[in-house]
Amino acid sequence: LVDGSYHISFVGMAAAGGGQAWVQLKLNGTMMVNIEANDEADYRSQLCFSQTFQMKRGDYFSLNGSYVEGDAQYDTNLNVTRV
């Protein structure tokens, strides 16, 4: 990364109804975003966030999650754009 603002967006789908899906975005090891879907019904929830962060050279981000779908029918997307 170089110094500047970065827009980070994520869209995903819970793997199945009745489960707990979650996604976390960490910046330099510090949690910045935490989203969860805890479905008690038989439908799937969408997990999404869209935020802009000021970052500098040497900064890093990580995306962790569980129980998130990722096949051709339910694509999981992560986009990072310098703004």
Side-chain angles (χ1 to χ4, degrees):
L1 297 173
V2 296
D3 294 2
S5 296
Y6 289 84
H7 186 81
I8 302 175
S9 61
F10 172 84
V11 177
M13 182 79 69
Q20 183 173 4
W22 59 270
V23 173
Q24 294 178 338
L25 174 77
K26 294 182 180 180
L27 178 58
N28 298 322
T30 301
M31 186 169 42
M32 305 299 286
V33 177
N34 182 54
I35 53 177
E36 298 179 12
N38 191 1
D39 298 330
E40 294 182 13
D42 286 334
Y43 60 88
R44 295 173 171 213
S45 290
Q46 187 177 49
L47 299 157
C48 58
F49 70 82
S50 181
Q51 286 190 273
T52 301
F53 299 95
Q54 188 67 29
M55 301 175 84
K56 62 186 184 308
R57 186 173 181 86
D59 285 350
Y60 66 94
F61 71 90
S62 61
L63 188 71
N64 302 300
S66 178
Y67 215 58
V68 178
E69 187 70 64
D71 64 18
Q73 184 178 2
Y74 299 105
D75 287 336
T76 296
N77 296 292
L78 172 67
N79 294 299
V80 181
T81 308
R82 186 165 182 244
V83 292

